[in-house]
Amino acid sequence: MLVLMRKQLFPDGNKRTAMLAANRVMISAGCGVLSVPIEQQSSFTTKLLDFYESGELEPMKAFVYDHCIDGLMFEPVIGTEHTRESKDKSYPFHIAGSSKKVYVCESPIDAMSQVSLAKLNGQDWTANHYISLGCLSDQALERFLGMNETTEIVFCLDNDEYATYHDGSPAPNWGQAAAFSFAQKYTSLGYETSVETPQSKDINEDLQVLRRMTEEARPFAEKAEYGYER
């Protein structure tokens, strides 16, 4: 990301493009989200300008690690001045809403895809909360529930129906097994729970399928409306 910013490949928007590309990698890997907090923007700009002039990457990289990544914790390495990455699965990727309902997905990209599906289906996507667990630990959900008044939980975990082990033999449907296990657990704790199983492997693939179907149907819709394809 930082190297792309410094290379200035485009006339404008280099920082935004580099951060979007970096977040695509981070989110897909479930490794948090890159963002510069408002209170750190001035320092970020100053250090970035220093990096542009000097080319010294380490100070800028350390600043990003310390201040600009949500969803990870960095612990000191004993005997050194450095930090090491430690994934803390109790910090969810969270798209905040105003209701007492939360949609629970495995990864940030699935949570964002759930938002897109709600919008495409004409629903008020801003009403509900959307979080990701970072795979199949419910630590992030526990933290979320401790901080947000919630009555309803919808589990939208992956559909691993066709999962296999490395040798090609069939594997369990881990995502759905976890979804129903969590639903049972949180029902017993007094929450209203349900499971929405993706038609494809995950919510993101469902969104991609819907978009392809919409694009393929568009010429027919235009012909029906206008009498010809535009």
Side-chain angles (χ1 to χ4, degrees), residues 20-84:
L20 281 171
N23 269 318
R24 176 66 177 84
V25 176
M26 294 281 288
I27 291 171
S28 295
C31 292
V33 177
L34 281 163
S35 63
V36 182
I38 293 176
E39 65 272 15
Q40 296 291 345
Q41 286 183 356
S42 177
S43 297
F44 178 84
T45 301
T46 300
K47 290 182 180 297
L48 187 63
L49 290 174
D50 291 340
F51 168 58
Y52 283 173
E53 295 176 0
S54 68
E56 295 182 8
L57 182 61
E58 290 304 316
M60 188 67 207
K61 189 163 67 173
F63 179 85
V64 171
Y65 282 166
D66 289 339
H67 302 289
C68 305
I69 300 179
D70 292 324
L72 295 180
M73 293 182 66
F74 294 89
E75 301 173 348
V77 179
I78 297 174
T80 74
E81 297 179 354
H82 303 289
T83 59
R84 67 183 177 191

Side-chain angles (χ1 to χ4, degrees), residues 24-218:
R24 176 66 177 84
V25 176
M26 294 281 288
I27 291 171
S28 295
C31 292
V33 177
L34 281 163
S35 63
V36 182
I38 293 176
E39 65 272 15
Q40 296 291 345
Q41 286 183 356
S42 177
S43 297
F44 178 84
T45 301
T46 300
K47 290 182 180 297
L48 187 63
L49 290 174
D50 291 340
F51 168 58
Y52 283 173
E53 295 176 0
S54 68
E56 295 182 8
L57 182 61
E58 290 304 316
M60 188 67 207
K61 189 163 67 173
F63 179 85
V64 171
Y65 282 166
D66 289 339
H67 302 289
C68 305
I69 300 179
D70 292 324
L72 295 180
M73 293 182 66
F74 294 89
E75 301 173 348
V77 179
I78 297 174
T80 74
E81 297 179 354
H82 303 289
T83 59
R84 67 183 177 191
E85 180 181 327
S86 174
K87 293 183 182 180
D88 186 346
K89 294 185 182 296
S90 71
Y91 286 88
F93 173 82
H94 179 201
I95 300 173
S98 56
S99 75
K100 298 178 182 179
K101 181 177 181 179
V102 59
Y103 286 84
V104 180
C105 302
E106 280 194 37
S107 68
I109 192 66
D110 288 328
M112 289 187 287
S113 296
Q114 186 71 37
V115 169
S116 296
L117 285 172
K119 185 176 180 180
L120 289 171
N121 289 326
Q123 301 170 3
D124 180 9
W125 65 270
T126 64
N128 302 311
H129 297 269
Y130 305 82
I131 67 170
S132 70
L133 298 181
C135 294
L136 296 176
S137 166
D138 65 339
Q139 295 178 46
L141 177 57
E142 290 178 348
R143 179 181 287 274
F144 171 85
L145 295 174
M147 299 175 66
N148 297 273
E149 186 177 357
T150 307
T151 58
E152 183 177 357
I153 307 170
V154 183
F155 293 97
C156 309
L157 306 185
D158 289 4
N159 182 7
D160 299 312
E161 181 179 4
Y162 301 106
T164 59
Y165 291 109
H166 292 298
D167 62 2
S169 61
N173 191 334
W174 290 293
Q176 290 305 290
F180 283 97
S181 176
F182 291 153
Q184 184 177 19
K185 171 183 175 179
Y186 287 96
T187 296
S188 69
L189 294 175
Y191 296 96
E192 178 183 347
T193 68
S194 60
V195 174
E196 291 188 3
T197 304
Q199 297 298 308
S200 307
K201 180 186 179 299
D202 54 36
I203 298 297
N204 181 243
E205 284 196 13
D206 278 1
L207 175 62
Q208 294 179 53
V209 169
L210 178 61
R211 289 194 182 281
R212 284 197 297 268
M213 292 173 61
T214 302
E215 289 299 317
E216 290 171 359
R218 181 171 296 171

